[in-house]
Amino acid sequence: MKVQEKLLEAISEYQKAIELSNGDHDAIASLAHAFAAIGRRAEAEKILHDFERKSKSGYVSPYMIATIYAGLGEKDKALRS
C-alpha cells in the first residue's frame, strides 16, 4: 500500500474517531495533519484557524496547534505554539 493510500485510509479513520468521540481535539489535529500531508492545505488550515479561534475563549492544547503547523511545513510557527 502506498503512502497516499495509507493517508487516505487514516483520514477516514480520523473522521470516524472525531464522530465517535464528539470532537476530540487529538483526532481533529491528526486529521488536519493528514490533510496537510496529502496536499489538502485548505482543509488543514480551516481546522487550524478553528483551533486558534477556540483558544481565545477556552483551552486548546498548544501541542495540537503545533501538530497542524508542522504538517503544513511551518516549522517556526510550530515551535512557537
Side-chain angles (χ1 to χ4, degrees):
M1 186 181 281
K2 294 181 181 179
V3 172
Q4 186 82 359
E5 291 171 1
K6 287 183 180 183
L7 285 169
L8 289 172
E9 185 178 317
I11 286 170
S12 176
E13 294 301 318
Y14 288 136
Q15 289 169 328
K16 288 177 193 172
I18 292 164
E19 184 179 327
L20 292 171
S21 68
N22 293 317
D24 178 72
H25 283 182
D26 288 325
I28 295 170
S30 296
L31 174 64
H33 190 274
F35 278 150
I38 65 167
R40 291 167 62 176
R41 287 187 67 87
E43 289 159 293
E45 288 171 347
K46 181 180 182 301
I47 293 169
L48 173 63
H49 296 307
D50 186 47
F51 273 13
E52 289 175 331
R53 182 183 50 77
K54 286 179 181 177
S55 73
K56 290 180 176 32
S57 61
Y59 181 76
V60 176
S61 169
Y63 176 79
M64 299 303 148
I65 293 172
T67 296
I68 300 169
Y69 273 125
L72 291 166
E74 298 184 32
K75 294 175 186 161
D76 289 341
K77 289 182 180 178
L79 293 172
R80 284 191 301 238
S81 294

